[in-house]
């Protein structure tokens, strides 16, 4: 069960929701965890839970959309942990609105965090992955990046961008033993989906063949698969964890 023993995983947006579930499943499989969120204090609960599993854990504050902040965090992480084996680009936001009314600020904020943040964090660890000739990069995209959603042009574009980024990086890094894959979750019970109205939720459930929203642990299980020995021969793939929404 300790398939990730001696490995270090960086998880962005690790303070809550899907990021926290990913940190805990990777830790349960033996990995030490560097959790990143906007404020280091946001990761306190995650760090305590990882430590309770007997692993090393650190909390770092960084804005994934800000290059200087990402570079500083990556340096601190490598200094504290000594190396990184797994990077999970999970931090993400929504700023929903109909296209006609969507502000440039809402477009930029979502693209900056979801897409540029994935680029910046991946770039920050690429040298280290190249040096060790190994690495697993897992980007959290979304079903919306595959099939779209009214009111989410910014979010859909950012997540489709994450998928395109994943495939290009996978081709670029494959010969050096580094895999890059994406996961496209459907609707998962977190703070992000708690704002959905009961009416919208009922309509949504009709689009999910398995008939319920997913749990953060469902996404974390897919991350563990891609990060562990079973994921050795996969790269450039998009794994849907969506109850069958996109097929
Ligand atoms: P959440 O809102 O519960 O948690 C996101 C975490 O990321 C928070 O701790 C937040 O502080 C952090 N974060 C936000 N902006 C950041 C930044 N600029 N720098 C560093 N950290 C930042 O969201 P949830 O639901 O856990 O989502 C996690 C990922 O999964 C996101 O990329 C989201 O787009 C994706 N996703 C979520 C789905 C859902 O139904 N909840 C469905 C599909 C994808």
């Amino acid at each position: 069960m300790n398939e990730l023993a001696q490995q270090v995983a960086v998880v962005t947006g690790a303070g809550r929701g899907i990021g926290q579930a990913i940190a805990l499943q990777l830790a349960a499989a033996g990995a030490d965890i560097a959790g990143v969120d906007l404020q280091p204090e946001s990761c306190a609960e995650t760090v305590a839970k990882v430590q309770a599993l007997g692993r090393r854990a650190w909390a770092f504050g960084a804005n994934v959309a800000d290059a200087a902040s990402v570079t500083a965090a990556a340096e601190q992480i490598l200094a504290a942990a000594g190396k990184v084996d797994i990077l999970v680009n999970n931090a993400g936001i929504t700023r929903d609105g109909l296209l006609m009314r969507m502000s440039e600020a809402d477009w930029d904020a979502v693209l900056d965090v979801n897409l540029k943040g994935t680029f910046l964090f991946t770039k920050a660890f690429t040298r280290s992955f190249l040096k060790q000739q190994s690495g697993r990069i897992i980007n959290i995209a979304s079903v919306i990046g595959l099939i779209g959603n009214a009111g989410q042009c910014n979010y859909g574009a950012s997540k489709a961008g994450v998928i395109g980024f994943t495939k290009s990086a996978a081709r670029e890094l494959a010969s050096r033993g580094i895999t890059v894959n994406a996961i496209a979750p459907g609707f998962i019970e977190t703070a992000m989906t708690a704002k959905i109205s009961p009416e919208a939720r009922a309509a949504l459930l009709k689009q999910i063949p398995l008939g319920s929203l997913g749990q953060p642990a469902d996404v974390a299980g897919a991350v563990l698969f891609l990060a562990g020995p079973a994921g050795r021969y996969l790269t450039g793939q998009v794994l849907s964890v969506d109850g069958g929404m996109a097929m």
Side-chain angles (χ1 to χ4, degrees):
M1 190 50 214
N2 275 355
E3 59 191 72
L4 300 181
Q6 317 298 330
Q7 302 210 18
V8 177
V10 176
V11 182
T12 69
R16 67 180 194 201
I18 294 171
Q20 184 180 72
I22 292 168
L24 296 182
Q25 278 207 36
L26 296 180
D32 296 329
I33 304 293
V36 179
D37 214 295
L38 281 168
Q39 307 298 333
E41 308 85 68
S42 326
C43 283
E45 187 186 289
T46 305
V47 163
K49 288 183 170 173
V50 169
Q51 287 170 342
L53 290 166
R55 311 295 171 214
R56 297 188 298 167
W58 307 266
F60 298 92
N63 174 3
V64 299
D66 179 83
S69 168
V70 170
T71 307
E75 278 170 11
Q76 289 166 24
I77 290 168
L78 284 167
K83 61 158 188 166
V84 168
D85 303 287
I86 299 157
L87 168 63
V88 186
N89 286 305
N90 164 79
I93 59 167
T94 53
R95 295 276 187 280
D96 297 350
L98 294 176
L99 179 55
M100 242 170 50
R101 290 195 217 112
M102 184 173 287
S103 70
E104 190 179 350
D106 283 347
W107 173 270
D108 286 345
V110 169
L111 269 289
D112 279 357
V113 174
N114 298 5
L115 182 55
K116 189 167 135 189
T118 298
F119 155 66
L120 290 175
F121 243 86
T122 304
K123 184 180 170 195
F125 288 104
T126 296
R127 188 183 302 277
S128 153
F129 286 141
L130 287 171
K131 249 201 224 159
Q132 69 193 23
Q133 298 269 304
S134 69
R136 300 282 174 93
I137 300 166
I138 298 151
N139 299 322
I140 306 302
S142 167
V143 66
I144 308 306
L146 293 170
I147 66 172
N149 193 22
Q152 291 199 302
C153 282
N154 50 0
Y155 187 76
S158 74
K159 294 300 191 177
V162 166
I163 290 169
F165 172 80
T166 298
K167 293 181 181 180
S168 293
R171 288 190 186 277
E172 196 170 313
L173 300 173
S175 67
R176 314 295 284 273
I178 302 161
T179 69
V180 192
N181 291 289
I183 293 173
F187 287 83
I188 309 296
E189 302 268 17
T190 68
M192 193 177 265
T193 46
K195 349 173 187 165
I196 299 175
S197 70
E199 301 77 46
R201 185 175 280 255
L204 181 62
L205 284 173
K206 292 199 187 122
Q207 296 172 44
I208 307 175
L210 285 180
S212 64
L213 269 68
Q215 296 300 316
D218 296 322
V219 179
V223 172
L224 176 58
F225 163 66
L226 291 171
R232 188 189 72 87
Y233 198 56
L234 283 93
T235 199
Q237 301 305 304
V238 184
L239 183 53
S240 289
V241 181
D242 64 0
M245 281 185 78
M247 64 167 88

